[in-house]
Amino acid sequence: MADTKALTTRAADFSAWYNELIARAELADYSPVRGCMVIRPNGYAIWEQMQRALDQMFKDTGHQNAYFPLFIPQSFLSREAEHVEGFAPETAVVTHGGGKELEEPLVVRPTSETIIYAMYAKWIQSYRDLPLLINQWANVVRWELRTRLFLRTTEFLWQEGHTAHATEAEAEEETRRMLGVYRTFMDQWMAMPVVTGRKTDSERFAGALRTYSCEALMQDNKALQAGTSHNLGQNFSRAFEVTFQTANGELDHVWNTSWGVSTRLVGALIMTHGDDAGLVCPPRLAQYQVVIVPIYRTDSERGAVLEAADRVRKELVAAGVRVHLDAREGMKPGAKYYEWEGRGVPLRLEIGPRDVAAGAVVLARRTGGKKETLPMEGLVPRMFQEMERMQTDLLEAARARREANSIRGATKQLFLDYMEAGGGFVYAGFCGSNDCEAQVKEQTKATIRVLPDEEFRSVPAPATCMWCGRPSVAEAVWAKAY
RNA sequence: CGGGGUGUGGCGCAGUCCGGUAGCGCGCCUGCUUUGGGAGCAGGAGGUCCCGGGUUCGAAUCCCGGCGCCCCGACCA
């Protein structure tokens, strides 16, 4: 690492902390192209872990992977009116190929609904072809005005699920199911609690009937939209003539859904668990769950220590633990500790001559607390135990932080004061009018993150709109957002 | 596109006001000694000072014009 100084603290400058952490942990780097990032091996490894877990969950819910092209005929985008309005301003367009001007410009996909539903129109004829449940892992490009590593880059990696169903009810069920999959993933893998719910029209996906979202609260009390699931209704099937014959011979348009999460989740992970020493990675997503640092002075100590360390490593590998033995020479143990802490490795085992003699290892946890000497005997189950505990502790800590920064039943004044004081989630009554939403955004920068699902709602439900005092039609969760 | 900042070895910076031919810390390489929380010593490698003009005997430095990047805001996953 180039820089050995401490990171800017979160309290001093959250944004600087975030950028420095990414550099320190070697998660990503700026590319020569404005707004684009290079995902470095340490960052990509986390994404791979995410992919692995999510991909399995998609397959377990009946989806198959496929791949659709990067280029989309420009005319495709225009077929769905709201969709083109939403995305046209931020597309990159290819006008030349092979040295010649193209007859029709090609849009670099900002999302793939149009090209996928154009294909579905060919593939779907009968209700027997439904449901069609496809996911793709891909890169997309959105020409954003302002970018931030992982959170909003010009090109980003994601997955997008696209499904077609025979009935509206089935599509709605799928939309909700995948939102649930995301929520489970964020809870159980990322140790990141989320509030789920429906988006208001102003935040709805361009072309969707309804958009649902998972919203997480970062350590600076700004909300991050971590994953979305859209019920597209028949908007795209009408635009792309995706029709099928029903069991009784009638022709109908299919009902579609789409849902996605992106490399933004790596940013979410950083801002949920990171501390002033660097990344804190939940064990289930860590590239290395355990790092072993050997300590020795003499050659004979070196031999014995490395032999013991490698034995521990092999035992853990055999048990399926992702473990790394840091046997680099000429580097003091302390320097290695700092490095692995910055990278967020959950557990560190130190093995020195004393430990070899005692048949023991020293355990240090990334989340703090005293170091602990453990017998080598029974180490493997102990490591699993530690990882499980850390995983649940991280989730609990994140949940507690979120709750400490959420208020319910806010009045207008309380709301204004709260946003002024730094913000967080505010649960409050909402009259349903675009005007109120726009006014709040104008005055406080806060937006409605979701109209929360039932389990997140306040009891009793708020009776009036926090802003205008008219009767409330739904409770809303407000926050300033990324 | 507005506001702010910044471009000098890999990274972080000083030098710019007041022109004289580039320096510090970290990192890197070699060797020796080290190694239980960021090692020490010695020797070394590495720079078109963002770009283009201009002024001058001479420009990192002064003048003019560009460009890049970062941060804050508007747009957005």
Side-chain angles (χ1 to χ4, degrees):
Chain A
M1 290 191 291
D3 184 344
T4 59
K5 288 190 190 125
L7 297 174
T8 298
T9 62
R10 289 162 294 174
D13 185 343
F14 193 79
S15 178
W17 165 81
Y18 177 81
N19 286 328
E20 288 173 25
L21 183 151
I22 289 169
R24 178 69 58 86
E26 298 180 344
L27 301 179
D29 203 350
Y30 295 100
S31 88
V33 180
R34 186 199 73 89
C36 293
M37 72 172 167
V38 175
I39 305 175
R40 303 185 65 175
N42 291 343
Y44 201 79
I46 295 172
W47 178 239
E48 282 181 314
Q49 290 301 133
M50 290 177 167
Q51 280 185 302
R52 198 162 303 165
L54 284 166
D55 198 64
Q56 191 58 53
M57 294 169 93
F58 299 155
K59 284 170 181 159
D60 289 346
T61 43
H63 304 84
Q64 286 185 293
N65 284 330
Y67 187 79
F68 296 83
L70 174 68
F71 298 125
I72 299 177
Q74 195 169 43
S75 57
F76 277 34
L77 215 59
S78 321
R79 288 207 214 167
E80 212 286 334
E82 212 179 282
H83 192 66
V84 67
E85 193 186 325
F87 283 104
E90 52 184 58
T91 51
V93 181
V94 178
T95 56
H96 289 73
K100 286 182 192 154
E101 183 165 358
L102 303 175
E103 273 185 39
E104 180 180 359
L106 299 172
V107 168
V108 180
R109 63 182 164 213
T111 180
S112 303
E113 275 76 7
T114 57
I115 192 152
I116 288 180
Y117 299 132
M119 296 310 296
Y120 281 13
K122 293 174 68 176
W123 298 343
I124 297 169
Q125 275 99 42
S126 151
Y127 71 95
R128 292 195 173 90
D129 298 324
L130 300 174
L132 184 55
L133 307 173
I134 289 181
N135 175 67
Q136 85 164 342
W137 292 94
N139 58 338
V140 288
V141 167
R142 297 182 187 178
W143 215 262
E144 303 287 355
L145 296 176
R146 195 174 151 229
T147 56
R148 301 194 58 162
L149 293 174
F150 288 113
L151 299 178
R152 181 170 299 105
T153 46
T154 301
E155 178 190 9
F156 57 95
L157 305 184
W158 78 346
Q159 59 69 215
E160 47 181 326
H162 294 273
T163 68
H165 307 264
T167 67
E168 180 170 19
E170 273 181 49
E172 179 66 9
E173 189 187 342
E174 168 77 1
T175 310
R176 298 291 319 195
R177 177 186 301 119
M178 299 321 288
L179 188 76
V181 163
Y182 288 154
R183 183 187 171 186
T184 300
F185 171 76
M186 290 167 194
D187 257 45
Q188 301 304 306
W189 270 261
M190 295 179 68
M192 181 176 78
V194 291
V195 174
T196 58
R198 190 159 70 80
K199 288 287 193 184
T200 60
D201 282 353
S202 67
E203 302 265 331
R204 188 169 40 81
F205 175 78
L209 220 52
R210 282 186 288 280
T211 287
Y212 299 94
S213 168
C214 296
E215 297 282 329
L217 193 64
M218 303 293 101
Q219 290 185 63
D220 60 351
N221 284 332
K222 284 170 82 173
L224 186 76
Q225 179 172 308
T228 48
S229 185
H230 316 289
N231 184 333
L232 303 176
Q234 292 176 312
N235 291 344
F236 285 91
S237 63
R238 289 210 178 94
F240 288 90
E241 294 295 331
V242 190
T243 56
F244 70 103
Q245 260 191 320
T246 64
N248 53 30
E250 289 161 1
L251 205 58
D252 199 0
H253 289 95
V254 300
W255 299 81
N256 294 115
T257 82
S258 71
W259 26 276
V261 297
S262 71
T263 36
R264 166 178 267 198
L265 289 180
V266 178
L269 194 74
I270 295 167
M271 293 194 294
T272 297
H273 301 299
D275 64 20
D276 290 342
L279 182 64
V280 175
C281 196
R284 294 186 86 170
L285 289 177
Q287 173 182 21
Y288 299 127
Q289 297 167 312
V290 178
V291 65
I292 303 171
V293 177
I295 303 163
Y296 49 79
R297 289 167 201 271
T298 64
D299 268 0
S300 65
E301 281 177 355
R302 178 176 176 278
V305 165
L306 284 181
E307 199 247 340
D310 198 51
R311 207 166 53 234
V312 170
R313 185 189 67 81
K314 282 184 178 134
E315 268 184 48
L316 289 169
V317 167
V321 178
R322 296 191 292 273
V323 55
H324 177 71
L325 171 57
D326 186 356
R328 283 175 294 179
E329 297 286 346
M331 199 172 170
K332 296 187 72 164
K336 293 180 183 178
Y337 301 164
Y338 278 96
E339 187 174 306
W340 291 113
E341 277 164 11
R343 292 178 179 179
V345 175
L347 300 171
R348 181 178 74 232
L349 295 175
E350 305 168 8
I351 303 181
R354 288 205 301 262
D355 307 304
V356 173
V361 297
V362 173
L363 168 70
R365 301 170 184 84
R366 178 61 182 85
T367 44
K370 286 210 172 77
K371 289 188 191 180
E372 199 175 334
T373 301
L374 307 175
M376 283 194 197
E377 195 74 26
L379 190 64
V380 168
R382 181 60 191 270
M383 290 296 99
F384 278 105
Q385 198 183 351
E386 288 289 337
M387 287 192 283
E388 272 164 44
R389 173 144 33 119
M390 188 177 293
Q391 188 76 36
T392 55
D393 284 355
L394 283 172
L395 176 61
E396 232 7 85
R399 198 192 306 279
R401 174 177 53 74
R402 182 189 70 184
E403 291 310 309
N405 291 289
S406 299
I407 57 171
R408 288 175 185 269
T411 59
K412 181 172 181 177
Q413 193 53 51
L414 197 56
F415 177 82
L416 290 170
D417 292 346
Y418 201 66
M419 285 305 159
E420 185 69 26
F425 281 152
V426 177
Y427 293 71
F430 175 52
C431 64
S433 96
N434 288 333
D435 282 353
C436 272
E437 209 180 345
Q439 278 177 32
V440 172
K441 186 174 183 184
E442 169 75 23
Q443 286 187 36
T444 68
K445 306 267 165 59
T447 51
I448 294 179
R449 301 323 301 155
V450 285
L451 305 174
D453 288 332
E454 191 168 2
E455 60 185 294
F456 298 101
R457 289 179 205 154
S458 306
V459 180
T464 57
C465 176
M466 165 277 287
W467 195 253
C468 69
R470 288 179 288 180
S472 168
V473 297
E475 189 173 22
V477 177
W478 299 81
K480 294 179 201 167
Y482 273 95

